[in-house]
Amino acid sequence: MTQSKPSEAYFHLHLVSDATGETLINVGRAASAQYANVLPIEHVYPLVRSMKQLERVLIEVEANPGIVLFTLVDKDIRGRLRSRCEELGLPHLSVMAPVVRLFQSYLGGEPTPRVGGQHALDASYFKRIDALNFTVMHDDGHLTEDLEHADVVLLGVSRTSKTPTSIYLANRGIKAANIPLVPNVPLPPNIEKLKKPLVVGLVASPERIVEIRQNRLLGLNAVETGSSTYTDREAVSEELAFSRRLCARNGWPLIDVTRRSIEETAANILSLYSDHRRRSIAET
């Protein structure tokens, strides 16, 4: 049986994992993003660790034919999924297999399969939890007296994605605090004296900031008063100009997030943080 290519503007994407499925979701979405005119309908099946669980998955796969990606440690479960996909003529791939083979060719020896091994409760896991706790407690200008304990401090006017970027960094083990720049509200007195953290300014185009703020007000069913400058373009431009001057005066890097995703902004910050750490070590 040969499965024909989908003619619709969507396709079914089956993600079968014996762990959380996060790896598959990230891989599937990264690949799907290369096809702008075709949208995936995701079917995620986490914690598939028995034949009985797999059979329920196979019923769904047969009812909604599409691409099947999987990460399964158990050979029998993996073999059953493969054979059924072949019977149905469906494309299927163990996304970790090519990577594991590459590691094996370089490192030698046989790998030791572990279900959900990347989620082990090891030191790096607890580092991420610690970073997440720190970041939540230091969100939106809270607890500014101990910013020296942060790894990264983000500064920016309202709606420059400070909080989601901080949370993303925390999931990478980075203790991130963020400080809003608000007109006529003084900055924490210690902000320009910080030595350990990397301080990064976030800006965007005035048009983008105004658009996001207007959408936020609509979402909150809020009405802006005549005296408010929250969505006034000239006022927003001045807020952003102040941000730029502040960062330039202190030699802090500035990132324009207008056309960047949270992931792209965080990747840029992580690169800057690596350079910052190397310089700090060299100076000690």
Side-chain angles (χ1 to χ4, degrees):
M1 175 180 176
T2 302
Q3 185 69 30
S4 60
K5 295 181 180 179
S7 57
E8 302 88 348
Y10 66 88
F11 69 98
H12 293 281
L13 177 61
H14 298 275
L15 307 171
V16 189
S17 174
D18 50 20
T20 64
E22 291 178 21
T23 300
L24 286 173
I25 291 170
N26 290 334
V27 171
R29 289 178 180 174
S32 300
Q34 310 307 310
Y35 294 85
N37 298 322
V38 186
L39 298 175
I41 299 176
E42 292 181 357
H43 304 263
V44 184
Y45 314 96
L47 304 174
V48 178
R49 299 179 180 178
S50 70
M51 284 295 185
K52 184 177 180 180
Q53 291 170 321
L54 179 64
E55 290 305 321
R56 289 197 289 266
V57 171
L58 293 177
I59 292 172
E60 289 292 321
V61 171
E62 185 172 2
N64 301 284
I67 296 172
V68 179
L69 302 180
F70 57 93
T71 52
L72 297 168
V73 169
D74 188 281
K75 290 183 179 179
D76 293 334
I77 296 176
R78 195 168 62 235
R80 169 62 179 150
L81 177 59
R82 277 193 175 123
S83 64
R84 187 62 181 134
C85 285
E86 289 170 1
E87 291 171 4
L88 296 171
L90 298 179
H92 56 283
L93 176 69
S94 173
V95 300
M96 288 296 292
V99 181
V100 172
R101 284 197 296 269
L102 179 65
F103 273 56
Q104 188 176 356
S105 68
Y106 184 76
L107 300 175
E110 290 292 327
T112 304
R114 289 192 301 153
V115 174
Q118 72 271 38
H119 303 296
L121 301 182
D122 54 14
S124 63
Y125 173 83
F126 289 107
K127 180 182 178 183
R128 292 197 301 274
I129 295 301
D130 188 36
L132 188 57
N133 286 335
F134 181 94
T135 298
V136 170
M137 292 174 65
H138 293 78
D139 181 44
D140 201 31
H142 289 92
L143 300 179
T144 57
E145 64 275 6
D146 66 343
L147 289 176
E148 195 63 53
H149 293 101
D151 296 317
V152 170
V153 176
L154 303 181
L155 299 174
V157 304
S158 172
R159 305 299 105 191
T160 47
S161 303
K162 297 183 299 299
T163 294
T165 303
S166 296
I167 296 297
Y168 187 94
L169 291 170
N171 278 295
R172 298 291 296 272
I174 300 296
K175 292 181 179 179
N178 70 81
I179 309 294
L181 299 180
V182 182
N184 302 317
V185 175
L187 286 168
N190 61 337
I191 190 70
E192 298 187 59
K193 299 177 182 178
L194 294 175
K195 298 185 182 301
K196 174 182 171 285
L198 168 70
V199 181
V200 179
L202 302 181
V203 295
S205 69
E207 294 78 14
R208 180 59 175 161
I209 296 293
V210 169
E211 178 186 7
I212 296 174
R213 290 182 180 183
Q214 288 174 338
N215 289 336
R216 177 171 171 76
L217 291 176
L218 288 172
L220 296 173
N221 292 320
V223 178
E224 192 172 11
T225 63
S227 60
S228 174
T229 58
Y230 187 63
T231 59
D232 179 78
R233 191 189 182 286
E234 289 188 12
V236 170
S237 296
E238 180 50 39
E239 288 181 52
L240 292 166
F242 170 75
S243 298
R244 293 180 182 277
R245 290 195 299 269
L246 176 67
C247 290
R249 185 173 72 236
N250 289 279
W252 296 330
L254 197 66
I255 299 176
D256 190 328
V257 302
T258 304
R259 293 181 178 84
R260 291 178 184 265
S261 66
I262 299 299
E263 294 83 355
E264 289 172 323
T265 300
N268 196 338
I269 293 169
L270 287 169
S271 177
L272 291 169
Y273 179 66
S274 295
D275 294 340
H276 176 75
R277 286 194 64 191
R278 280 194 291 269
R279 287 194 301 270
S280 298
I281 293 171
E283 292 171 0
T284 57

